[in-house]
Amino acid sequence: MRKVGIIGLGHVGVTVAYTLLTKGIVDELVLIDQNENKVMAEYYDFIDTIGRLDTDTKIKVQDYNELKDADILVTAFGDIKASVEQGDRFAELPINTKNAKEIGPKIKASGFNGIIINIANPCDVVADLLRQTAGLSSKQVFGTGTFLDTARMQRAVGQAIGQSPRSVSGYVLGEHGDSQFTAWSTVIVDGQSIDNLVEEYHLDLPKLDEQAKSGAWKVANGKGYTSYAISTCAVKMIQAVFSDAHLFMPASVYVDRFGGYVGYPAVIGANGVEKVVSLPLTKDEDEKLTKSATMIKEKTENAIDEI
């Protein structure tokens, strides 16, 4: 019995729910949102969908007690409008600090002891706040982090050289936000280091890095939010947990060296974060990572003081 809870049914949360439902990935869904009318509207839309699917999913709403035996909980609460208007994911920090303060204890009280995958912004800070307020371990709580930003880098590089983004490997590290960066020393295209392709394809690496970083705003400024790509990332993480895939990916994870969460490669499996993998970086990349992680930790500590 595969059971997933989703807290926050905005554009992202509901897209995750729809994907899990229509792909038959879960047996039970628990949907929770502060807007009762929104939850009930989505509930009836979903159960009307089930009659035309090849799989069946039980859907329950607005009951934290139902999280007790859930395997995975996706947190997607927040106010994307605040981030889009200010062009900064940290615009949602006051909102989601309050949400974490209210929601974390409810998760804990429910008896939930599964895996939390956080999407709520700022992703790295909120993941840590939920870890602490819900009383879970750092292995049990991680976020989508730079998993999506890495996909945006793959898209940018792929477009620049006329290749599929799936032919590009490597990592965007750090904050899921302005201080993120592409670790170009890790980027490989068709088995070749990106450095070997710069001259041939006239690649402007800083420009490609900026395209990855600004990808969210290109989408959000056009339609007011992002949804499909980030939801796809979350669903892939859910499947990695369910299948105990031990999938190596960049995610928002707790890194002991920094004493907090940051976008960094990890192995994701049935226990959540199975292992955080030490990645060899250049001196410049390591300095950028340290700077980003330090900023995130400071923001987290300030938010904890408010809680």
Side-chain angles (χ1 to χ4, degrees):
M1 182 72 69
R2 294 182 170 185
K3 186 173 184 178
V4 171
I6 300 175
I7 300 179
L9 291 180
H11 299 290
V12 175
V14 78
T15 304
V16 172
Y18 177 78
T19 304
L20 295 175
L21 177 73
T22 56
K23 287 193 172 185
I25 294 171
V26 294
D27 301 297
E28 288 190 31
L29 267 177
V30 182
L31 308 178
I32 298 173
D33 193 278
Q34 62 183 359
N35 186 332
E36 179 82 21
N37 290 335
K38 179 71 159 63
V39 173
M40 296 313 300
E42 301 295 1
Y43 169 74
Y44 280 107
D45 207 1
F46 283 155
I47 61 174
D48 288 344
T49 301
I50 291 173
R52 295 295 179 265
L53 297 177
D54 296 324
T55 55
D56 193 45
T57 301
K58 294 181 180 178
I59 302 175
K60 300 177 180 180
V61 298
Q62 300 297 73
D63 189 353
Y64 274 89
N65 291 326
E66 283 292 337
L67 299 179
K68 182 176 182 179
D69 60 346
D71 302 291
I72 300 169
L73 175 60
V74 176
T75 48
F77 48 75
D79 182 1
I80 186 63
K81 185 178 179 181
S83 288
V84 174
E85 287 181 347
Q86 297 188 37
D88 183 0
R89 294 178 180 89
F90 272 100
E92 291 186 70
L93 181 56
I95 299 166
N96 283 336
T97 295
K98 180 176 181 291
N99 284 333
K101 180 181 179 180
E102 295 176 356
I103 292 169
K106 291 180 181 180
I107 295 171
K108 185 175 182 179
S110 74
F112 175 79
N113 194 38
I115 307 300
I116 291 181
I117 300 176
N118 178 60
I119 303 174
N121 284 319
C123 184
D124 309 286
V125 175
V126 174
D128 208 344
L129 296 180
L130 288 172
R131 173 184 69 88
Q132 298 185 55
T133 57
L136 298 171
S137 73
S138 59
K139 289 184 176 293
Q140 291 174 278
V141 183
F142 62 93
T144 45
T146 55
F147 194 32
L148 173 53
D149 304 301
T150 296
R152 288 174 173 143
M153 176 275 290
Q154 292 172 283
R155 178 260 303 159
V157 173
Q159 286 181 330
I161 63 176
Q163 288 277 28
S164 165
R166 290 183 294 275
S167 297
V168 182
S169 64
Y171 307 102
V172 172
L173 304 177
E175 173 202 1
H176 176 54
D178 290 344
S179 65
Q180 70 177 236
F181 65 97
T182 300
W184 290 114
S185 68
T186 70
V187 177
I188 295 174
V189 183
D190 290 341
Q192 295 189 67
S193 167
I194 190 74
D195 290 337
N196 296 337
L197 303 175
V198 169
E199 184 175 348
E200 179 181 355
Y201 289 97
H202 307 289
L203 301 179
D204 184 337
L205 297 188
K207 182 178 179 180
L208 292 175
D209 184 48
E210 182 58 33
Q211 287 178 12
K213 186 183 299 185
S214 63
W217 308 118
K218 184 181 291 292
V219 175
N221 288 333
K223 68 179 191 177
Y225 56 91
T226 65
S227 54
Y228 306 131
I230 183 60
S231 298
T232 300
C233 289
V235 170
K236 191 171 184 69
M237 288 176 160
I238 289 169
Q239 291 176 306
V241 173
F242 276 142
S243 63
D244 194 21
H246 282 239
L247 186 62
F248 185 60
M249 66 173 71
S252 179
V253 294
Y254 189 93
V255 179
D256 289 335
R257 171 187 166 191
F258 301 119
Y261 280 73
V262 69
Y264 199 75
V267 176
I268 304 300
N271 298 307
V273 181
E274 303 287 352
K275 180 170 63 173
V276 175
V277 180
S278 181
L279 191 67
L281 299 172
T282 66
K283 181 180 178 181
D284 179 63
E285 289 168 349
D286 192 69
E287 288 175 352
K288 288 179 180 178
L289 178 63
T290 300
K291 182 178 180 180
S292 184
T294 299
M295 181 275 295
I296 293 167
K297 185 177 181 181
E298 289 175 353
K299 296 280 190 180
T300 303
E301 290 175 346
N302 290 337
I304 287 294
D305 288 342
E306 293 181 21
I307 292 176

